[in-house]
Amino acid sequence: MSFVWLTDVLATYDDDRPAHEYLGPDGEWVRLSRRELLREVRVAAAGLVGAGLRPGDRVAMVAGDPGPFVGAFLGALWAGLVPVPVPPPPLLGRREPWRELLDTVLSVARPKALCLPAAERELARTVGPLVTYEELAGAPPSEGGPVPRGPQDVVYLQFSSGSTARPRAVAARAGAVMANGLAIMREGVNADADTDRGLSWLPLHHDMGLVGFLLAPLAVGVPTSFLPTRSFVRDPGSWMRAMHERSATLTFAPNFAYALAARRSRPESVAALDLSRVRVAGCGGEPINREVLRRFTEAFAPAGLRPEAVLPCYGLAESTLAVTFPPGGRPLTVDRIDAEALARGSAVPAPDGVPDAGPVTEVVGCGSAFEGHGLTIRDERGRCLADRAVGEVWVTGPSVARGYVGDPEATGRTFGRDGWVRTGDRGYLVDGELFVTGRAKDLLIVRGSNTDPQRVEWLVEALPGARLGGVVACTRPAEETEELVVVVECRESAAGGLPAQVRSVLGEQLAMAVHDVVLVRPGTIPRTTSGKPRRQETRRRYLEGELVHVQ
Amino acid sequence: MTNQELLDLLHQGLHRVTARTFAPLSLQDKVDELGVDSLEMLELVAWAEEQTDRRVPDAKLHAVATVGDLCAVLAGAPVRTVLQ
């Protein structure tokens, strides 16, 4: 059977069934039928070709408002170009770090042109051709069919949203994108184009937004509603309100968004919603905190949200997007394990009902790898480990990429010639189900014990006065071993008692000694554009004495 | 509202949103240097909008660099009609 690429699917969009809808600034939804979407794609393709771009050319696209971006991105695929989604400027302030990031991204991707909204033309200081979305929308539609693509062709570049200093671009191949998109929609969420509707506010320069809600649904014809990311950021309640209004059944977001949605929810607003149609509220992209998911499902239970709709998943851009999904319709799998054994690399179930049995850690199960894909846990030398032994997660299969663009060194470290990808994440398997415990490179290694920083950070940020998401755990070198340092953003009024509480909770819950508690003002901890704390950069600033302590 | 009323409102909002104390604001203060992160900043905007029953269009926020800019976009924002 010949290979079917997304634009081949798009070419069949010649009816009036719903395709996309975009929330406009006036609060109204702009609806596109399949036929109208195809026309937009043809118009954008013609505009890009008219701007001098040819098949194989890279074109960077600022992924702000979904409406103009989606048409242009798909138009680029139609014309055989290689689009490169890049982050939009922040809504308010912090322009300079964004410009620096954009410069770095463009220096890696080296596109022929940059596409952006006319209103942002002045913000980018890029030299090189600029094409506005408004200009693209004015072209007469391209008459011909899509430029044919084979499964090995690189169809777009996906920058990883990791917390590393230098962003890396994964070269996404058509075959991998289709394999992953179909696995997500068929095996992962069991989608039905006639009854399901996806809804997303996720940034479209991230794999979860781009693959999860633009490319994968398109592959099987599931209609999708898009909110601008800023709608959610300015008003987190807009997410679940939109799920209700649009009768959406599928959504996804990282852990922090579920925390925010639950924290800002008001019972009287929740009571007015009907979320009983929601089949999948997927969670992935960062370590998953069981407590956060519990708070979210409790907050929205009065609206009919079923707890089993919450699906914790695992994936990474190096495998297009998703690797594991739990089977639908089952409650969360939570593994209660001995925290001290975990530090020694072993996930030993904690005895039930035994008082004073020692500290316990809860890890959420993320399901098993898609059919035809492989997932193993390995030690530092690449040897496969048994069930419940903690090591690095390695993945393989038709969804994985072959390398990063222009970075042979990182490609060599991550992508094996045998098709296995080293993810840099740590976890363990139980009967094929993956339990992720953290990132390998951030691991805290103190006196031979390994602890994932996220476990420390979750405990500390729950203390009164500490800021949610404003804690970094790292180590500093010492004579015999590394020592644990905890950097905490906190209110000045809470500063007095906090160090003792940090020491006490980590001693009790993780049996860890804390060598330094650094209290800093909120906003001090460096973050990625997606808001994740940059642990390595925080550690560097600590070691260089650059962190300003709260008095 | 006068600039001073808006400054007082934003000062109160900073405290409400972050539960921290802040020195009185001036129009020249840069928003990046207030000691709040981008999410808190947007919470402040949302809070001030609620208090003044106004809605600042997203496009206007792009140009905000100082507290004075923020006062100006709040003062010039249309009264909220839809949403919620």
Side-chain angles (χ1 to χ4, degrees), chain A residues 444-519:
Chain A
L444 307 169
I445 305 172
V446 181
R447 296 186 198 288
S449 277
N450 299 337
T451 307
D452 292 295
Q454 190 80 69
R455 312 257 146 222
V456 174
E457 292 159 5
W458 281 340
L459 287 170
V460 173
E461 68 186 26
L463 295 172
R467 186 152 178 278
L468 197 65
V471 179
V472 163
C474 57
T475 57
R476 67 181 185 195
E479 207 164 299
E480 291 178 8
T481 180
E482 298 268 298
E483 295 178 341
L484 177 60
V485 174
V486 185
V487 182
V488 192
E489 291 183 344
C490 73
R491 298 200 300 260
E492 282 179 40
S493 56
L498 206 48
Q501 291 176 49
V502 170
R503 291 193 160 86
S504 155
V505 73
L506 296 180
E508 277 170 25
Q509 300 291 321
L510 296 176
M512 293 186 81
V514 185
H515 293 85
D516 198 1
V517 179
V518 185
L519 304 180

Side-chain angles (χ1 to χ4, degrees), chain A residues 26-27 89-95 120 123 230 233-235 241 260 264 266 467 490-491 521-523 527, chain B residues 18-20 31-32 34-43 45-46 49 55-56 58 61-62 64 82 84:
Chain A
D26 53 359
L91 195 50
L92 197 165
R94 294 184 168 81
R95 280 292 143 74
E120 286 166 17
L123 295 178
R230 62 170 186 276
V233 174
R234 286 188 75 172
D235 173 13
R241 277 205 310 278
L260 196 58
R264 302 276 187 79
R266 283 179 295 197
R467 186 152 178 278
C490 73
R491 298 200 300 260
R521 289 180 59 173
R527 288 181 166 77
Chain B
T18 66
R20 303 192 297 273
V31 293
D32 287 355
L34 291 177
V36 297
D37 66 21
S38 42
L39 221 66
E40 287 174 329
M41 196 63 216
L42 289 167
E43 277 188 79
V45 173
E49 286 175 333
R55 171 80 183 181
V56 180
D58 293 329
L61 287 179
H62 282 311
V64 169
V82 272
Q84 299 301 326

Side-chain angles (χ1 to χ4, degrees), chain A residues 264-284:
Chain A
R264 302 276 187 79
S265 65
R266 283 179 295 197
E268 63 276 19
S269 312
V270 171
L273 303 180
D274 177 4
L275 299 176
S276 61
R277 286 175 54 89
V278 178
R279 289 203 305 112
V280 173
C283 183

